[in-house]
Amino acid sequence: DPDMPFVPSIPEDQFILVEEGDSTIIPCRTSDPNAQVTLMNSLGKAVFAVYDSKQGFTGSFPAGSYVCKTTVKGVEFKSDEFLIYILRATPELPVKIEAIKTVYKTGETIVVTCVVFDNEVVNLQWNYPGKVKEKGLIKLDDIKVPSQKLVYTLTIPEASVKDTGDYECTARQATKEVKENKKVVITVHDKGFVHLEPRFSSLETVDLHEVKNFVVDVQ
């Protein structure tokens, strides 16, 4: 089609997610298999890459915007703009689960965090006793400096004894078949408790004028 040399692209094709170091395809395809196509970056400079009219340009491209252009009968045509996003991902998925404390009493707020290191796009799911009743607030903090980490925080307000159990986070890498899960056990008591360990027996004797100390360890 001389009036539309570039095959129209769908919005999903215009946003290209690629892992750091991987090659990808910029899918500007042509209706004429013999068309001479040039790939341009956001600075208007030509970018060298292998071209196939049925697929597009293949190569390892820096993050940024790209446009393809061709000329038909002296008229220049440009494709839609394609945006490449570079994602950081590792072959392994380092995950750490942290709890401020593991023993609570009724009415307190449970806080558990799951931290994923060195990966930018991760699917993370929580499993915990109150999940069925949708009890819990989940927050995500994407930290870039000084290093990449995703911090998922699960908060359970007004804890009850029923919130006792396993708190597990399962992280899956969005672009690779890699997953990792971590677990911590949380206990909620109906009320607070004190544990005493006296360092003396039930019967003690003392001499006249003797000073004696009675020591109790309290937890």
Side-chain angles (χ1 to χ4, degrees):
D1 183 352
D3 295 324
M4 188 175 286
F6 287 109
V7 178
S9 58
I10 59 176
E12 288 82 358
D13 287 339
Q14 294 176 246
F15 297 91
I16 304 167
L17 303 178
V18 58
E19 286 184 23
E20 204 171 34
D22 284 359
S23 64
T24 190
I25 295 175
I26 297 177
C28 51
R29 298 173 293 124
T30 54
S31 59
D32 177 5
N34 298 315
Q36 299 298 309
V37 183
T38 303
L39 179 63
M40 312 294 293
N41 62 19
S42 58
L43 301 176
K45 294 183 178 180
V47 178
F48 176 77
V50 177
Y51 184 71
D52 182 335
S53 63
K54 296 180 181 179
Q55 290 187 313
F57 285 98
T58 302
S60 295
F61 305 104
S65 64
Y66 295 84
V67 171
C68 303
K69 70 176 185 178
T70 189
T71 301
V72 178
K73 296 180 181 179
V75 179
E76 183 178 272
F77 291 85
K78 290 185 178 180
S79 70
D80 294 323
E81 183 182 40
F82 297 92
L83 298 172
I84 292 183
Y85 295 90
I86 305 296
L87 305 176
R88 183 160 188 192
T90 57
E92 297 179 351
L93 198 56
V95 178
K96 181 180 181 182
I97 194 166
E98 299 173 332
I100 298 173
K101 57 181 183 176
T102 56
V103 178
Y104 292 83
K105 61 182 179 180
T106 298
E108 291 186 325
T109 299
I110 298 173
V111 179
V112 182
T113 59
C114 194
V115 185
V116 182
F117 300 91
D118 301 325
N119 285 266
E120 289 186 281
V121 180
V122 172
N123 295 320
L124 188 132
Q125 289 185 330
W126 286 98
N127 281 309
Y128 55 97
K131 184 177 181 179
V132 176
K133 295 184 178 180
E134 297 183 350
K135 185 178 182 180
L137 306 171
I138 298 172
K139 185 182 75 167
L140 169 61
D141 292 310
D142 187 353
I143 299 172
K144 305 289 188 185
V145 179
S147 60
Q148 171 66 44
K149 62 181 179 180
L150 300 172
V151 181
Y152 298 84
T153 304
L154 171 65
T155 304
I156 311 289
E158 296 292 325
S160 70
V161 176
K162 292 181 179 179
D163 291 310
T164 294
D166 294 343
Y167 285 70
E168 184 179 46
C169 66
T170 301
R172 288 181 173 84
Q173 206 176 67
T175 54
K176 288 188 174 74
E177 290 299 319
V178 180
K179 77 171 185 176
E180 185 71 34
N181 61 0
K182 297 290 181 180
K183 181 176 72 173
V184 65
V185 178
I186 300 292
T187 304
V188 182
H189 293 279
D190 186 35
K191 52 188 175 183
F193 60 91
V194 175
H195 183 65
L196 302 177
E197 288 185 0
R199 296 186 185 178
F200 49 86
S201 61
S202 57
L203 177 62
E204 292 283 343
T205 60
V206 60
D207 294 331
L208 187 62
H209 304 306
E210 180 188 356
V211 176
K212 191 159 190 175
N213 293 321
F214 294 86
V215 179
V216 180
D217 287 337
V218 182
Q219 290 185 336

